[in-house]
Amino acid sequence: MNRALSQVDPEIARAMEQELDRQQNCLVMIPSENYASKAVLQAQGCIMTNKYAEGYPGARWYNGCEQVDTAENLAIERAKELFGADHVNVQPHTGSQANMAAYYALLQPGDRVLSLPLDHGGHLTHGQNSNFSGRYYRFTHYGVDRETEVIDLDVVRRLAHREKPKLISVGYSAYPRAIDFAEWRKIADEVDAYLMADVAHIVGLIAAKEHPDPVPYCDIITSTTHKTLRGPRGAFIMCRREYADAVDRACFPGVQAGPLMHVIAAKAVAFKEAMTDSFRAYQHQIVLNAKALAKALMERGFRLVSGGTDTHLMLVDLRPLNMFGATAADLLEEAGILVNKNSIPFDHVSSALASGIRPGSPAVTTRGMKEPEMEQIAEMMSRVLHDPESESVRKEVLQEVRELCARFPIYEDLTEGHCG
Ligand code: DSN
């Protein structure tokens, strides 16, 4: 029972050790990834994983839930305080399941929904054909404008009046511009639709008031906890008081059964961390760093979709370099820089190749990097992508990345890839 992981399963222990090494020695520019604190990691690896707790605090289907009730109540109360929400459900296992529960709470199969499609920056669960959302609900999509590459609210308004959706979805995975939720509320009210925000990416910025607040304007808000919020891998839902019962019933027993109580405990820790001045300063720096990176990339000739960013991420259009996003991501990985390929609006190639990449600043900002390092990263990215034939350039950059990473350790007191 008490043997160490490395004794019980040396192969997994070794993979974790190497993962720690990888995370320490590369630049994570994937905007949905981050480094959770050691406290969050410890909570996520705790004994609450052993407990079944279907139901909600004070009303469980199993006995022995006193301590997990404490954890869940703390998570709920902290999230309510952090965001000023009427009601919070912290049980969704993932962002996709939070969205599934949100639709389940407010819609019937076949209801109409208006959303941004995946290839313009939305998410699979925003009505993609191969996803449950596209199968069970009737989605109509608005897109970004071909010229400005931002969402044109006049187009959204016209579509809303034509389609009369039951729910309008706002909030995205690959859209670099701020969202004016008050304007979206007006459109939703004009057609008597629910307004739902999926803030999985920007939730940390919202908590720190670095992005407009959806809470006063949206009926329901879904989010992950592991991106800019820097918590454990998971999700939660906020909603207006009148939808509280529907949301709770949708999460359990609607789309999930046993909640992951160890992850809920870690969510409580993350919400507590997000109430601190240092978290607010971190979110402020995320935005400064993203803007600095965007500017430095544009100065080196890269075209950014919509001309820049207001948030933590940006989309780089690689068509002028005659390069696929998939190729760019592989070249950069060889040089120690991790980005993800990403379709750009009106892309002519498949999403498996994609014409863009989606760099972001949350993880490198957690390491303590600031504007000068963003300039250095842009310079290294430029050297790699402007000279794709040169293996020696990638080797040189890899060496520089290693040196930069050594100056900004991720977990000073962690020597194995786990906290136990
Ligand atoms: N996979 C997430 C992202 O990278 O944005 C969205 O679910």
Side-chain angles (χ1 to χ4, degrees):
M1 190 79 178
N2 291 324
R3 289 166 70 214
L5 175 64
S6 56
Q7 289 172 303
V8 175
D9 194 335
E11 288 154 292
I12 286 291
R14 178 89 187 116
M16 285 183 184
E17 209 178 295
Q18 287 179 347
E19 176 62 7
L20 175 62
D21 187 65
R22 187 194 70 80
Q23 291 189 17
Q24 167 60 38
N25 290 310
C26 73
L27 290 169
V28 174
M29 308 299 293
I30 294 170
S32 45
E33 294 186 7
N34 212 330
Y35 301 104
S37 71
K38 200 168 166 197
V40 165
L41 295 183
Q42 278 176 339
Q44 202 174 2
C46 81
I47 52 167
M48 289 187 180
T49 193
N50 295 336
K51 188 73 196 97
Y52 251 122
E54 276 143 314
Y56 290 100
R60 305 282 190 186
W61 289 84
Y62 292 80
N63 291 67
C65 287
E66 295 78 9
Q67 304 314 322
V68 294
D69 277 6
T70 300
E72 185 160 348
N73 279 328
L74 281 169
I76 291 167
E77 291 311 315
R78 287 172 182 169
K80 281 165 72 173
E81 185 184 337
L82 181 62
F83 295 100
D86 286 350
H87 181 76
V88 170
N89 186 304
V90 293
Q91 293 198 359
H93 304 326
T94 67
S96 293
Q97 283 190 288
N99 286 348
M100 184 182 263
Y103 301 147
Y104 195 94
L106 299 182
L107 304 176
Q108 293 299 321
D111 277 347
R112 285 181 192 277
V113 182
L114 190 58
S115 73
L116 189 75
L118 183 62
D119 57 358
H120 279 222
H123 187 255
L124 276 172
T125 54
H126 299 172
Q128 231 262 350
N129 280 339
S130 53
N131 183 259
F132 80 90
S133 54
R135 179 177 295 192
Y136 294 125
Y137 305 101
R138 279 192 290 171
F139 275 80
T140 301
H141 294 303
Y142 52 88
V144 300
D145 180 77
R146 197 176 273 275
E147 291 301 312
T148 62
E149 298 173 308
V150 300
I151 295 163
D152 180 343
L153 286 182
D154 291 335
V155 173
V156 176
R157 176 170 275 112
R158 275 202 299 278
L159 274 173
H161 280 267
R162 192 187 78 195
E163 297 293 324
K164 302 267 185 301
K166 189 151 175 207
L167 183 146
I168 297 177
S169 155
V170 61
Y172 317 107
S173 294
Y175 183 70
R177 294 304 181 180
I179 300 163
D180 184 347
F181 294 105
E183 288 303 311
W184 285 85
R185 179 75 253 171
K186 286 182 197 158
I187 298 174
D189 283 345
E190 287 168 25
V191 297
D192 199 20
Y194 295 119
L195 185 62
M196 167 174 161
D198 176 346
V199 299
H201 266 263
I202 52 176
V203 64
L205 307 186
I206 290 167
K209 314 231 174 303
E210 294 289 332
H211 185 283
D213 186 359
V215 174
Y217 304 106
C218 295
D219 298 296
I220 193 160
I221 299 167
T222 58
S223 180
T224 53
T225 43
H226 51 274
K227 298 187 175 91
T228 48
L229 196 61
R230 214 165 54 182
R233 188 159 292 277
F236 68 110
I237 301 178
M238 300 183 266
C239 67
R240 292 192 164 161
R241 194 164 286 108
E242 59 260 46
Y243 309 120
D245 286 346
V247 164
D248 285 351
R249 281 198 311 272
C251 289
F252 171 82
V255 306
Q256 292 185 177
L260 310 177
M261 296 316 302
H262 55 308
V263 180
I264 288 173
K267 288 174 192 175
V269 175
F271 292 133
K272 182 169 184 170
E273 290 178 345
M275 290 177 192
T276 59
D277 287 344
S278 70
F279 183 84
R280 284 186 279 274
Y282 162 58
Q283 298 294 325
H284 185 65
Q285 191 64 46
I286 285 179
V287 178
L288 293 180
N289 281 357
K291 285 183 189 296
L293 182 67
K295 180 166 172 284
L297 286 170
M298 288 189 289
E299 282 167 359
R300 285 161 180 79
F302 288 99
R303 195 188 88 77
L304 264 55
V305 170
S306 84
T309 181
D310 303 321
T311 65
H312 61 302
L313 63 79
M314 64 215 70
L315 276 178
V316 183
D317 178 3
L318 295 165
R319 289 173 306 179
L321 270 64
N322 220 359
M323 185 184 283
F324 294 131
T327 313
D330 287 348
L331 291 170
L332 288 168
E333 183 174 9
E334 245 187 84
I337 301 172
L338 269 292
V339 299
N340 65 279
K341 66 185 171 198
N342 213 101
S343 295
I344 58 166
F346 309 103
D347 213 326
H348 290 298
V349 300
S350 74
S351 56
L353 292 173
S355 293
I357 52 174
R358 183 187 64 155
S361 58
V364 289
T365 308
T366 291
R367 302 181 78 141
M369 295 186 192
K370 295 207 164 130
E371 289 90 332
E373 287 77 36
M374 297 306 115
E375 180 92 25
Q376 188 183 347
I377 292 170
E379 173 61 23
M380 293 190 290
M381 289 173 70
S382 174
R383 273 157 53 205
V384 170
L385 296 180
H386 283 113
D387 203 351
E389 302 304 326
S390 174
E391 208 181 319
S392 63
V393 165
R394 293 195 288 283
K395 282 202 171 120
E396 271 166 36
V397 170
L398 180 63
Q399 189 50 38
E400 278 174 54
V401 165
R402 296 276 191 263
E403 284 161 19
L404 178 59
C405 289
R407 285 174 41 222
F408 295 92
I410 54 171
Y411 298 104
E412 302 214 31
D413 49 356
L414 207 64
T415 53
E416 296 176 309
H418 57 90
C419 284

